[in-house]
Amino acid sequence: MQKTILITGGAGFIGSHVVRRFVRNHPGYRIVNLDKLTYAGNLENLTDIENEPNYSFVKGDIADQEFINELFSRHSFDGVIHLAAESHVDRSISGPMEFITANIIGTVNLLNAFKEQAGNNEGKLFYHISTDEVYGSLGSEGLFTEETSYDPGSPYSASKAGSDHMVRAWHHTYGIPVVISNCSNNYGPNQFPEKLIPLAINNILNSKPVPVYGKGENVRDWLYVEDHAAAIDLVFHRGLTGETYNVGGNNEWRNLDLVKLLCKIMDRQLDRKPGTSAKLITFVKDRAGHDMRYAIDNSKITSALGWKPSVSFEEGLDRTVRWYLENEKWLEGVLSGDYRDYYHKQYTER
Ligand code: NAD
Ligand code: TYD
């Protein structure tokens, strides 16, 4: 029997890779992509699959309860893969309310609608995509496991922690089948150029300063986005109900070292004299409450589900830089808001 799967946030960075993977690899599924098309959501990311017979798009806001209830009254979803969220820490510092609304209220609206939808929930699954940032900040030692206590430090991570708690509460109280994964920092094609890697690429390309917060000593654990999409596919199909899986690539980098590596790759790909891009590195005021280090212990997902990252960092960064250099039009389209205006006109509000 054909299954209908709702993917929220499918026009965003990770969501678009997940949608593409599911549309292509699971032709027996009808994939419904629900996205508000915020500044970060862009249907240009999906032009290669937009005409596939098992794909459809719905523009809408997960924080709009009436809209969500109406959507779930029209479809009975066998699965929900929930990625829609406000996702940038710096924006959460300057404007936290948007994060509370989208990430917490939005998630609860989906949980309620899923709970109330027609038919029983046997064989169905609500899969919540979350972040390792819910665990807070590590010192120089240790890794986040699934048992690490929650200790979110930013409005973004607190809103994601809140949404994780809601998902577990709906499982515990109402018995809805859920699974959660908490992933480390992703990078790759289609990431909005406000996050470190695409921002640095765009600035180097345009010979603009590359801002490094504080002393550049903060550490992140980087994973190529397609490896995350593969993990999501696996958890969705093989993850155990009620469980949590941490996803990460055992790939820790200090921000400054990462930016220096990017500069080298950019010099090479742009045919610039070695050392040209590194001159753009500029230390700027630190982020308020900047978490020092994130690092994932991925032993549960590797041993229980057989997942492992397949793209080395050097290869992934090389591919990512190449993609941005070959897609300057995409960069212009997302930064100017042109794509946003275009796709908003195509899909009228309800
Ligand atoms: P993104 O900002 O690139 O994309 C988010 C998408 O959600 C956009 O398409 C946006 O239009 C949509 N959206 C936002 N608010 C919405 C709303 N109210 N209603 C409907 N759609 C809405 O984010 P991303 O980096 O692709 O992250 C996707 C998910 O993965 C998020 O839940 C994030 O917390 C999580 N995550 C991200 C990372 C990372 O490194 N980027 C790591 C771990 C987990
Ligand atoms: P970011 O990509 O925003 O992801 P997150 O804050 O969710 O980890 O930032 C990654 C790291 O890079 C983080 O330690 C903050 C730092 N950073 C900079 O040094 N300069 C920048 O311009 C940005 C956007 C981030």
Side-chain angles (χ1 to χ4, degrees):
M1 199 186 64
Q2 200 180 45
K3 287 189 171 181
T4 305
I5 313 292
L6 178 68
I7 299 182
T8 72
F13 165 48
I14 301 170
S16 59
H17 291 272
V18 174
V19 165
R20 176 176 301 102
R21 185 182 173 97
F22 272 70
V23 165
R24 291 219 175 117
N25 293 7
H26 304 292
Y29 292 168
R30 284 181 22 192
I31 302 298
V32 179
N33 173 13
L34 163 65
D35 199 293
K36 184 180 173 182
L37 301 182
T38 68
Y39 77 94
N42 175 13
L43 288 172
E44 199 66 19
N45 296 346
L46 290 168
T47 48
D48 55 329
I49 56 103
E50 68 186 358
N51 294 321
E52 294 298 331
N54 63 338
Y55 170 76
S56 61
F57 175 72
V58 179
K59 177 171 171 279
D61 185 348
I62 56 169
D64 179 344
Q65 186 183 11
E66 202 189 319
F67 162 76
I68 291 297
N69 289 344
E70 197 248 341
L71 180 73
F72 277 73
S73 71
R74 276 190 283 125
H75 302 267
S76 179
F77 293 111
D78 300 289
V80 175
I81 305 178
H82 174 37
L83 296 110
E86 288 293 335
S87 68
H88 188 41
V89 173
D90 292 321
R91 284 184 192 249
S92 83
I93 294 169
S94 53
M97 277 321 285
E98 204 49 39
F99 286 68
I100 310 305
T101 309
N103 299 2
I104 302 182
I105 310 285
T107 300
V108 172
N109 282 339
L110 289 166
L111 287 165
N112 273 336
F114 186 77
K115 173 164 81 71
E116 298 299 331
Q117 74 178 349
N120 67 36
N121 274 329
E122 212 174 308
K124 297 182 181 173
L125 186 65
F126 188 101
Y127 180 8
H128 181 58
I129 308 301
S130 193
T131 165
D132 61 354
E133 303 190 23
V134 297
Y135 298 121
S137 181
L138 291 164
S140 54
E141 297 287 308
L143 300 171
F144 297 133
T145 74
E146 289 79 1
E147 274 71 49
T148 303
S149 301
Y150 274 34
D151 186 20
S154 72
Y156 164 65
S157 54
S159 72
K160 291 298 290 187
S163 65
D164 292 10
H165 289 319
M166 296 299 169
V167 172
R168 291 197 181 97
W170 260 245
H171 174 62
H172 183 76
T173 307
Y174 306 110
I176 73 162
V178 306
V179 70
I180 300 179
S181 57
N182 295 79
C183 188
S184 62
N185 287 61
N186 285 215
Y187 71 99
N190 301 109
Q191 188 169 30
F192 191 85
E194 62 181 354
K195 306 269 169 70
L196 178 63
I197 290 178
L199 180 130
I201 294 172
N202 187 41
N203 286 15
I204 294 168
L205 180 61
N206 294 296
S207 299
K208 286 185 359 198
V210 178
V212 172
Y213 297 167
K215 293 183 180 152
E217 285 171 350
N218 303 64
V219 172
R220 297 293 183 263
D221 183 356
W222 294 94
L223 181 69
Y224 192 63
V225 63
E226 285 179 7
D227 277 331
H228 188 192
I232 289 173
D233 195 332
L234 207 55
V235 171
F236 183 71
H237 290 101
R238 305 243 315 275
L240 297 183
T241 301
E243 290 289 315
T244 296
Y245 297 88
N246 280 355
V247 187
N250 290 328
N251 181 38
E252 293 181 49
W253 283 79
R254 275 194 338 151
N255 290 340
L256 184 57
D257 298 332
L258 160 51
V259 169
K260 283 182 178 165
L261 175 60
L262 253 186
C263 287
K264 271 194 197 151
I265 297 175
M266 292 288 289
D267 282 345
R268 200 167 58 228
Q269 291 203 21
L270 287 168
D271 235 348
R272 288 180 182 167
K273 198 167 137 243
T276 309
S277 301
K279 290 199 186 105
L280 298 166
I281 294 174
T282 308
F283 293 97
V284 299
K285 190 168 173 284
D286 209 352
R287 172 187 279 173
H290 197 172
D291 286 339
M292 182 46 80
R293 177 171 162 258
Y294 305 141
I296 283 274
D297 175 346
N298 67 11
S299 49
K300 180 173 175 182
I301 189 167
T302 50
S303 61
L305 302 184
W307 175 84
K308 61 176 191 321
S310 69
V311 181
S312 73
F313 198 42
E314 285 68 16
E315 166 64 21
L317 269 188
D318 213 61
R319 274 196 217 172
T320 304
V321 168
R322 199 174 307 284
W323 186 85
Y324 280 94
L325 297 187
E326 284 169 2
N327 289 277
E328 277 192 63
K329 204 167 145 265
W330 182 94
L331 272 172
E332 280 162 28
V334 294
L335 285 168
S336 63
D338 284 357
Y339 284 153
R340 190 180 140 77
D341 295 346
Y342 173 77
Y343 285 109
H344 272 269
K345 274 200 199 103
Q346 305 282 310
Y347 294 91
T348 46
E349 289 279 7
R350 185 174 56 96

